[in-house]
Structure formats: C-alpha cells, structure tokens
Amino acid sequence: MIHNQKGNALITVLLISLVFTIIGLAIISSSISGTKRTENRKTDIDVSYNAIKVVGDITTNITNKLNTLSLKSYMTRSGGQTTIDPTFDPKLQELLKDSLTKITDNEKAKIECLSLVDESGASASEIIGSSGSCVNDLSKFSSYQINKDNDFTRVFEIVLVTKNPNKNEGKIQRTIRKCFILSPLPSFLKYAVGSYGEGNDFGLVLNGSPNIYGNVYANQLTISENANYQLRDGSDKTSATPMPSINGDLYSSTANLLPIVKEKEHFYKGEIPELKNDSQFININFRESFDNQMNDILVEGGLGLSWDGDRGAFQTDLLDRINAQYTENNRPLSDFGIDRKDAPVNLPNGGTTAKGSYIMGSTPPIDDPISVNGDLVIMSSGNDITLKQQLVVKGDLYIVSYQNINLSNIYVTGDIHIVNFGGTILLNGNIAGANNIDIESSGNSGQVEVNGVVICGNKLNMGASANNDIIVNADILAGNNIMIKPVDTSIKINKNIVTAGSLTINGDDELAASTVTSENDAVIFNSVVYVDHTANISNVNILGANDNEKQLILLANGKLTITRINEFKNFQPSKESAKPYLPEKENTIKPLKAFFYTESNAILYGVGSLFYIDGGLFAKDRLEINAIRGEVTKIDDLPPSLTQTDMYSRFIVNYNSDILLQRIDALPIIDQLQIYSDELIVE
C-alpha cells in the first residue's frame, strides 16, 4: 500500500508554531498580570500608608488642640462631686471636627470615607469627617456608659476607608481603625513605671533585672547590671544580675535617653524598647489636690470645718466645733443606764479611765441625744446597745463590745477607743474626735463597720486580728498619722483617706510562722489615699475590692517605702514563659492592686522580697528599683547571674489600663484633656 504523506510537515510546523504562540501569549499575559499585580500592590501600599499617615495626623492635630480647652472653665465642684457644663461636648466636637477636616486634597483623593465614632455614652454616635460616612451599623461599636454630666472622659474611634485614585486599576480598599481615650487623669497614670526628675541623683534608676509590662516614662534613665539590697542589720550589698526588661515603649520629654537605647547590652536579651516623645506630660498639683480633698471630706462631715493647711488651727477649730455640739440632756443620765463611777474604771485592754468617769452597760434602745461631761465607757457585756441619736462626750470615749453595738453620730473632745471582742459594732453616723481614734477588732469573729465620715484631729490607728473584720464605707480624714494593721485577716477600705501626717500599713512577720506559705495579711481597697508626709507599707498584701476589679491609688507628698512583700516567697513555677514574662494566674503570689505615686522619691528592692504590682509606680523626683531573677529562700544565698536568665523577675509591674476608663472623683484633675491611643488596626 502506498501512503501519501505530503503536507504532514506543514501541519507539524503549524502545530509547533501554535504551541509556541500560546506559550508566548501565556508568558506575556503572565508578565502583564504580574506587572499589574505589582502595580496594584504598590498602589495598595501607597493608599494604606496614606491612610495610616492621615489617622496619625488627625491624632496629632487633636493632641495639639487639647491645650486650648480649659477644663476648669467647664466644671464646678460641690461636696466632692464634679459637674460638667453642658457646653463642653459641643465645644469638644467642634475641636474634633476641625482636626478631621484638615486633610490635603491629595490625601482626600485616596480616602473613600472618614468618620469619628463617639463610644462614650449609652450608645455610639457618629461625627462625620471630611469625606462622608464610613459607618453603616453603629450597634457594632462599643459603648462605655460614661456619665457625661459628671465625667470629662470620652472614648472615640477613627474609621477610615481607602480608595484607589486610579479607577483603571480596579477596587483597592482597606479599613483603618484607631481607638483613643480623652481623659483628665494625671499623666503618671498612663505609665507602668516612671519618674519625671532630671539631672544628677534624679530620674529613673533600674538596677538589676526588673520586668515592666507597659510604657515607661523617664527624663533621666540609669541602668545597671548590679542590684542593691540590704541585710537586716542595715548593711548594703550588691548582686550581679541580667539587665532590665521593658515590654512596652520608653517615653521622655528630653533627649537624655538616646545613648542608652542605642545599646542592646542595656536590656534583657537585647530587646530594646522604642523611644518616643511625650511633650504633653503634665504633673499634678499635689498641694491643690490635697487641700481640695480635705475640704470635700470636711463638707461631708457636717461640722462646718474647713482646711487651710494649718494643722494646729484645724485641731483647735475641730475641738471648738465639737464643744458646740454639747447640749444639756432632757433627762438624768441614769435614765439612759449611765452611772458615774468615783473610782477609775478598769478596761479589758488593761487600761483604766480617769476618776469620775461614766459607764453605760446593756440597755434598751435609746431615742434621745446624749451629752456626757467626762470620760464615758460603753460596754455591751450582756445585751445589745443601740443609740439612735447623737452622742457628745467632753472627755474620752471607750466603746467595748461583747454583744452588738449600734451608734449614730459621735462627737468627742478627747480620745475615742473602739474595741470589739465579739458581736458587731455598727457606726452609722459621722465620727469626730478632737484627739486620737483607735479602732480594734480582736475578739472571736467580731466586726466593726464604719458607715459615717471619720474626722480625727490627731492620730488614727486601725487594727484587726484573725477571724475579725473592719469594714470602712465612708471617708477618713486625720490631722496626723494613720496606722492600718491587719494580722492574719483583711481590713476593707471602700472610700477615700486623707492624712495630714504619714501613712503606715503593716502586717505581721510571716517568717516567724513557718506554716504560712503565702502572705495572709491584707488591706482591700477601693480608694484614693492622699498622704501629706511619708507612706510606708510592709509585710502586707494590697488587694482590690469587687473581686480585685478596684484598686488603691496612693499619692504621697513624702518618701514612699514598700518593704518585705512576699519575703522569700517564689513564683510556682519560677521559670518564665514567653514575652511579656508574666507569671500565670495562681494563688500563691497575689499582685499588689495599686498605683503608687510620690512627689519625692522611692527606693524599692525585689531581692528577698517579691513584688508583683498590677497597676503602676511613679516617683516625681527619683525612683530606684533593684531586682534579681529566680528563686530566693534566704538573703545570703542568692542565685548567680548566669542562672537567672529565663527565670521570673522578683520585681514585676504589669500596667493596668482599666484605670483610664474608671470615674474616680477623688483623683487630681489636670486642666486639660490628654489623649491615650490604642493600637492602630488595618483590615
């Protein structure tokens, strides 16, 4: 058979040409697509960068304009309460809209829409920017339930949606979100650790290896690999350690920190924090804030007192106001179960009264006001005692309970001694004592509950032992020192404290009790405490009320000292986890739920002690922190430096940002809002 194959070569050539043509077109198409994707990617980056820059510029514009809004022009204070003028929010919105509209035409070309959402109230509302609304459903935004009539704090979220100015490249769109808080809180409350001081022997000193989770502020920063500590005989020692760890940004209002942040050797595992500028840092006016708080409490006390900074004049005025409360009784004192004793009366605590004192035993409830000219002992040894009207004593007052005692207003020209050996002492009225006040709960399952304002002319002491409680639900003011001492129990302070003297909070020495595995002396706070002199805290836990949701905010004019916290206790496990190097929640070591501030200086040691602060720590003049890492069971056997890496620090500060949204009337209010920015989100 003969086969005719003419034309096969042509077909083969055509097929090969077609294949190569298709491959070529595919390569060209791929190249064009790749080029287009590259161009789209470049456009996406350019548009996103432009949007991020716009949001940053808006934040900066708002920051720069806030100093034009004087808060004192929009507020009135009465009885410790702040009232905001209704013209404040319109003025603030005007400022914000102006910041939103200052965008260049070139930037507008890359923006689809720009909105500012107010999340402060019961529901979110929108402030429209320069390019129309971005928001379709306001119900998806948070609402922080801030009472705008009494609180300057506001929460906003910027929402920006991008667009591609070149329509031929198709739809390229990103959503940028940034939340920020405007708050009148003092600047120190936005930092985990800090010091405003600058110059020799001022500023922030980090010796050894503390671990800080949160932003840090310093105008002068000193870092050392040696932690200082003291033995019980007062002699000074040092221990080599790793370097400090800062899991946050480092802020300053100066350029003094630049040489330090250039060297990895200055920081734990070479992790250098980013250095940023805080040109808006505002110090508090401690004296003004202290005086205002003193007068707010005195108004609550109802005696017509005022504070002008003169302690002696205050004590004299207090005595005069108490004497003015004295009135003659409608009936003989014997009708109230009160008998005069010519001989001194022996007291359960071992003391005695003066001659010619009076004693009240168990009696039916009394509806009349009572005035006593002399020392008075009220002792519920048999049945309960209830006084429904005020009690005025020209002398010393002793309240001793074995059964329940329920009292109203108490005014005493001398000392007040409240001793609970059983039952419950309810103090439902205001208490004013011209001299010292002692409150002690040391019986079997006893309780003292203070529900009225306490005004003490001199020193106030408060102590409770195991199975006994002291609960304070009203403000305390003292013209001199205050001592709070829980022993194997907790004392609860749910209102504010102001002392014109010093503050001491002490537990007992747990080292003496070998069976105790964790600190069991505690004061539970929901308070702002002002101290005109020094503040000293030792051997005690500071916890927050409402299951640790609240906290102590301590502001001291003098030196701050915190010692022997969780002494020779250790985290379990002691080997640290990943950044930010915080221990898991566990029961052995309870964090100190507090923000500590001093106008002066503080030197703290996390060597034998173990500090875990859930809050913040700030010293205006100088703050020195000394810390090592790892387990310590006795002070003369510290772990060597090489074994400390990857172990938990013995001085940890974990910043609690919840403070920014809490309305706390007793805090100092600065004269302008400050901006606290959250992280920027690109979707």
Side-chain angles (χ1 to χ4, degrees):
M1 181 180 289
I2 300 174
H3 297 280
N4 185 357
Q5 295 182 352
K6 289 182 179 182
N8 284 353
L10 178 59
I11 293 172
T12 301
V13 170
L14 290 174
L15 286 172
I16 292 172
S17 298
L18 179 61
V19 170
F20 278 105
T21 299
I22 293 171
I23 292 172
L25 290 173
I27 292 171
I28 293 170
S29 176
S30 176
S31 177
I32 293 172
S33 297
T35 302
K36 188 174 181 180
R37 283 195 299 270
T38 301
E39 290 298 323
N40 287 350
R41 181 58 181 157
K42 287 181 179 178
T43 302
D44 185 15
I45 293 172
D46 177 59
V47 168
S48 298
Y49 175 79
N50 174 78
I52 293 170
K53 180 179 179 299
V54 168
V55 172
D57 289 344
I58 290 171
T59 306
T60 301
N61 290 338
I62 293 171
T63 302
N64 293 336
K65 285 180 173 292
L66 289 177
N67 61 6
T68 65
L69 199 63
S70 173
L71 300 185
K72 290 182 179 178
S73 303
Y74 297 93
M75 64 178 282
T76 55
R77 282 182 65 81
S78 177
Q81 295 290 321
T82 301
T83 302
I84 312 301
D85 191 276
T87 61
F88 171 73
D89 274 297
K91 188 66 177 178
L92 177 61
Q93 288 201 12
E94 180 184 326
L95 181 152
L96 296 173
K97 285 180 180 179
D98 186 51
S99 299
L100 287 173
T101 55
K102 288 191 173 180
I103 302 172
T104 66
D105 291 338
N106 183 51
E107 290 170 334
K108 288 180 181 179
K110 301 173 185 177
I111 297 174
E112 181 72 32
C113 58
L114 171 63
S115 291
L116 184 66
V117 179
D118 185 353
E119 301 177 331
S120 310
S123 59
S125 60
E126 185 181 15
I127 301 171
I128 299 175
S130 61
S131 304
S133 174
C134 291
V135 180
N136 296 321
D137 186 1
L138 285 169
S139 66
K140 295 181 179 179
F141 289 83
S142 301
S143 55
Y144 288 91
Q145 311 288 331
I146 295 170
N147 185 348
K148 294 184 178 183
D149 294 332
N150 303 104
D151 193 348
F152 281 116
T153 303
R154 301 291 183 268
V155 183
F156 296 95
E157 184 170 341
I158 299 172
V159 182
L160 186 154
V161 178
T162 67
K163 72 175 180 180
N164 187 358
N166 186 349
K167 296 181 179 179
N168 295 326
E169 292 180 348
K171 185 176 182 180
I172 299 174
Q173 193 172 80
R174 297 283 183 184
T175 299
I176 314 297
R177 296 176 176 270
K178 186 178 182 69
C179 185
F180 64 90
I181 300 169
L182 299 182
S183 172
L185 293 182
S187 295
F188 77 85
L189 282 174
K190 64 181 179 180
Y191 293 106
V193 166
S195 175
Y196 189 79
E198 181 181 2
N200 293 332
D201 207 30
F202 284 89
L204 178 61
V205 181
L206 301 178
N207 293 326
S209 196
N211 179 38
I212 301 166
Y213 182 38
N215 295 331
V216 174
Y217 182 89
N219 288 322
Q220 195 80 43
L221 178 61
T222 303
I223 290 179
S224 169
E225 62 182 1
N226 293 310
N228 301 319
Y229 63 100
Q230 289 184 328
L231 301 180
R232 292 211 172 186
D233 61 8
S235 57
D236 295 325
K237 299 288 184 179
T238 62
S239 177
T241 70
M243 302 304 282
S245 56
I246 298 177
N247 297 286
D249 296 327
L250 188 56
Y251 283 81
S252 180
S253 303
T254 72
N256 296 333
L257 278 58
L258 284 171
I260 293 177
V261 298
K262 290 180 179 179
E263 303 294 336
K264 290 184 177 181
E265 291 76 12
H266 290 149
F267 298 94
Y268 186 62
K269 297 185 177 181
E271 297 165 346
I272 302 176
E274 185 176 350
L275 179 60
K276 297 182 177 180
N277 178 260
D278 184 354
S279 60
Q280 305 293 319
F281 190 96
I282 301 174
N283 280 309
I284 66 170
N285 185 330
F286 181 88
R287 178 54 51 203
E288 179 184 53
S289 301
F290 178 88
D291 291 347
N292 286 342
Q293 193 60 27
M294 286 283 277
N295 283 306
D296 286 344
I297 294 177
L298 290 175
V299 169
E300 288 184 80
L303 288 174
L305 291 159
S306 63
W307 170 263
D308 63 1
D310 187 331
R311 183 192 296 179
F314 165 72
Q315 291 173 329
T316 300
D317 193 18
L318 175 59
L319 178 59
D320 292 342
R321 301 295 176 120
I322 292 173
N323 277 318
Q325 298 294 313
Y326 189 92
T327 58
E328 294 299 327
N329 298 300
N330 295 325
R331 293 186 284 160
L333 290 177
S334 57
D335 287 1
F336 305 128
I338 298 175
D339 298 322
R340 180 183 172 87
K341 302 292 183 181
D342 293 329
V345 176
N346 294 322
L347 299 170
N349 61 2
T352 59
T353 67
K355 293 181 180 180
S357 59
Y358 295 85
I359 185 166
M360 171 187 278
S362 299
T363 182
I366 298 173
D367 295 322
D368 300 55
I370 299 175
S371 294
V372 177
N373 189 6
D375 294 348
L376 173 65
V377 179
I378 299 176
M379 185 179 300
S380 62
S381 55
N383 298 309
D384 298 349
I385 295 177
T386 298
L387 304 184
K388 297 182 180 181
Q389 299 294 324
Q390 75 175 26
L391 171 67
V392 182
V393 177
K394 285 189 175 182
D396 295 339
L397 172 65
Y398 301 84
I399 301 172
V400 183
S401 75
Y402 294 92
Q403 304 295 327
N404 297 330
I405 295 180
N406 191 333
L407 304 179
S408 185
N409 292 342
I410 300 171
Y411 302 107
V412 179
T413 62
D415 294 336
I416 299 175
H417 304 273
I418 301 170
V419 184
N420 186 340
F421 289 111
T424 297
I425 299 178
L426 282 178
L427 304 172
N428 290 320
N430 294 336
I431 302 171
N435 200 25
N436 302 317
I437 297 178
D438 296 314
I439 302 174
E440 180 183 349
S441 187
S442 58
N444 295 317
S445 301
Q447 178 174 298
V448 178
E449 184 173 326
V450 182
N451 296 316
V453 173
V454 178
I455 299 175
C456 175
N458 198 16
K459 297 179 180 179
L460 186 147
N461 298 310
M462 192 184 306
S465 59
N467 301 317
N468 290 270
D469 293 320
I470 295 177
I471 303 172
V472 180
N473 297 317
D475 292 332
I476 294 176
L477 181 153
N480 207 329
N481 301 337
I482 292 179
M483 162 76 84
I484 301 174
K485 189 173 179 63
V487 176
D488 301 331
T489 190
S490 298
I491 293 176
K492 300 176 180 67
I493 311 290
N494 294 317
K495 291 289 283 185
N496 303 319
I497 298 175
V498 184
T499 169
S502 296
L503 172 71
T504 301
I505 304 176
N506 279 349
D508 64 347
D509 187 354
E510 303 298 351
L511 287 179
S514 58
T515 58
V516 177
T517 58
S518 62
E519 183 61 68
N520 61 357
D521 313 322
V523 184
I524 302 173
F525 281 103
N526 177 17
S527 312
V528 179
V529 177
Y530 287 86
V531 183
D532 201 23
H533 292 281
T534 61
N536 304 277
I537 299 173
S538 181
N539 281 311
V540 68
N541 267 336
I542 303 296
L543 305 177
N546 295 358
D547 292 328
N548 240 16
E549 289 183 3
K550 304 298 183 180
Q551 68 278 309
L552 163 67
I553 302 175
L554 172 63
L555 300 101
N557 197 26
K559 184 178 180 181
L560 171 66
T561 302
I562 308 176
T563 61
R564 304 184 68 185
I565 303 298
N566 297 306
E567 193 171 26
F568 304 128
K569 304 297 190 296
N570 299 289
F571 290 115
Q572 298 298 331
S574 58
K575 191 173 181 63
E576 69 187 8
S577 54
K579 290 184 68 174
Y581 312 127
L582 297 178
E584 296 179 1
K585 186 176 181 181
E586 41 90 19
N587 296 320
T588 304
I589 305 300
K590 296 179 180 178
L592 303 179
K593 194 68 184 296
F595 284 84
F596 299 103
Y597 172 89
T598 171
E599 286 275 291
S600 180
N601 60 76
I603 303 176
L604 305 177
Y605 301 92
V607 180
S609 293
L610 193 157
F611 281 80
Y612 186 6
I613 298 175
D614 182 7
L617 178 63
F618 200 98
K620 184 176 179 181
D621 287 346
R622 186 177 189 272
L623 174 60
E624 178 182 327
I625 299 174
N626 298 274
I628 67 171
R629 291 175 178 266
E631 295 188 353
V632 175
T633 55
K634 52 185 179 178
I635 199 65
D636 56 359
D637 187 20
L638 302 181
S641 177
L642 291 176
T643 66
Q644 292 184 33
T645 300
D646 296 326
M647 306 294 284
Y648 283 122
S649 172
R650 297 187 68 80
F651 199 110
I652 296 174
V653 181
N654 179 19
Y655 177 68
N656 183 1
S657 61
D658 292 344
I659 190 70
L660 299 177
L661 289 173
Q662 293 182 14
R663 178 175 175 264
I664 305 173
D665 285 323
L667 278 175
I669 295 180
I670 56 179
D671 194 31
Q672 71 179 62
L673 292 170
Q674 293 193 89
I675 190 166
Y676 302 83
S677 295
D678 203 346
E679 62 183 276
L680 184 141
I681 299 172
V682 180
E683 298 174 346

